[in-house]
Amino acid sequence: MISFLRGTVAHVGLSTAVIDLNGAGMSVYATPQTLSKLRTGEEGKLFTSLIVREDSLTLFGFASDDEREVFDVLLSVSGVGPRLALAVLAVHDPEAIRVAAHTGDSKTFTKVPGIGPKVAGRIVLELAGKLVPHGTAAPAGAPAASSEGVWKPQVVAAMTSLGWSEKDATGSIDKALADAPELAGEGNVAEILRTTLRWLGQDGARAGNRVGSRG
């Protein structure tokens, strides 16, 4: 794994830079913000993530290790490739991405070109619990993070981004957790959302069976 590159900046383009490592030029994709900090002929350092494909090896570069960490986590979302993950970092800084993922704010991700409401909803769903804002530890005496007032708005927001109305989302969550009250106490947003979506699918199947039996 190539963790970082340090060498003379040989070229800076619109989307890539070339770092001269003792005579070998390494091409790296990066955000405009990262590229703007590099100066041709001067020493530069980029934290890197190597993406391996059957027909290519591609390096993506970042100004900080935090940016690289967020990039790698974004790649864990189904349907999000390295170019789209880099586009997210071009629009939002790592902390803004952490906050959006932690609070279920899918609208933050729709500001990125190429990301619509459905993809944004999936990003929020799959990133829940994976990205946490820095310094979010609850102070002494603060209410537990698992309280309904904390997790429920996040689950409702994720469901509305997937197409449900707020009223239907809220009602479905309550009905789904009636069979799994322990989830409400744990406050795991991703698991509550998955449980609710599974309940909706099963409820739809039961309704279909009832209709079929009447026929």
Side-chain angles (χ1 to χ4, degrees), residues 73-157:
V73 174
L74 283 168
L75 292 181
S76 70
V77 178
S78 57
V80 175
R83 301 297 176 91
L84 193 56
L86 195 66
V88 175
L89 282 164
V91 176
H92 302 295
D93 63 51
E95 188 65 7
I97 297 170
R98 290 177 182 278
V99 170
H102 186 66
T103 60
D105 179 14
S106 61
K107 291 183 179 179
T108 290
F109 295 101
T110 61
K111 296 177 182 178
V112 179
I115 296 182
K118 289 187 177 180
V119 174
R122 186 164 64 246
I123 290 174
V124 168
L125 168 60
E126 297 189 24
L127 289 187
K130 293 183 179 180
L131 288 177
V132 179
H134 295 305
T136 55
S146 59
S147 63
E148 182 175 304
V150 173
W151 61 257
K152 196 166 189 177
Q154 298 180 42
V155 180
V156 170

